[in-house]
Amino acid sequence: MTIKQISIFIENRKNALSELTNVLATHKINMRAINLADTSDFGIARIIVDNSEQVQAALERSHYIVKVTQVIAVEIPDEAGSLNNILKILADNGRNVEYMYGFTGRKSGSAYMIIRCTDVPETEKVLENAGIRMVSQEELSEL
């Protein structure tokens, strides 16, 4: 069970991030999670949203270069050691985590991690076999 992550390439300059969030706000797009990475010339904003197709179209109309990637969102107890347990399961099964980031939702006692691994379908199987709950794209608006 994967969700869609939108990666947006932005210039590494003053106001670039606020210009991006202005486009999202103008289109009444609520981000569930955001992750920023940068180099000296450009940055990549990775976002999780409820309606990725609408967001992709709005950003492309605003002349942003975007890429949609399948990632895994897992629900974990919001307590010490929970992330370590999942990472240990992945490591013990030969899964390499390329990057990850987290967010919290309205549901008390839970946190959510966005995980990107080299082989997403195989990683899904590993998590499912371990009893780790994955979040669907449809569930995002309820979190």
Side-chain angles (χ1 to χ4, degrees):
M1 178 179 324
T2 60
I3 63 171
K4 295 177 181 176
Q5 169 189 265
I6 300 175
S7 298
I8 307 125
F9 297 89
I10 54 178
E11 290 181 70
N12 193 355
R13 62 169 173 76
K14 186 176 12 173
N15 297 327
L17 187 57
S18 65
E19 290 168 4
L20 169 63
T21 57
N22 184 58
V23 171
L24 299 175
T26 299
H27 289 87
K28 300 191 183 324
I29 296 164
N30 185 22
M31 289 183 289
R32 294 314 214 183
I34 185 169
N35 173 274
L36 297 172
D38 73 328
T39 68
S40 59
D41 297 326
F42 68 93
I44 300 173
R46 294 179 175 118
I47 62 172
I48 303 295
V49 294
D50 297 343
N51 185 340
S52 57
E53 290 81 16
Q54 172 194 356
V55 175
Q56 180 180 2
L59 290 169
E60 288 174 346
R61 282 193 306 273
S62 296
H63 308 290
Y64 283 96
I65 298 171
V66 300
K67 179 182 176 185
V68 177
T69 307
Q70 298 295 322
V71 295
I72 299 170
V74 296
E75 181 177 5
I76 61 174
D78 190 7
E79 59 190 39
S82 296
L83 177 58
N84 183 61
N85 292 338
I86 290 175
L87 294 177
K88 183 166 178 9
I89 290 166
L90 294 175
D92 289 348
N93 286 277
R95 303 288 89 220
N96 180 40
V97 176
E98 293 179 1
Y99 59 83
M100 60 185 256
Y101 51 101
F103 68 100
T104 58
R106 295 179 203 109
K107 185 176 177 182
S108 178
S110 291
Y112 303 91
M113 293 303 298
I114 304 300
I115 301 172
R116 175 64 183 177
C117 292
T118 48
D119 185 341
V120 172
E122 185 61 31
T123 302
E124 287 178 291
K125 289 178 193 173
V126 167
L127 293 169
E128 186 176 319
N129 290 339
I132 306 298
R133 189 174 106 67
M134 292 173 276
V135 176
S136 70
Q137 188 75 39
E138 294 76 28
E139 289 179 86
L140 286 174
S141 63
E142 299 169 14
L143 299 180

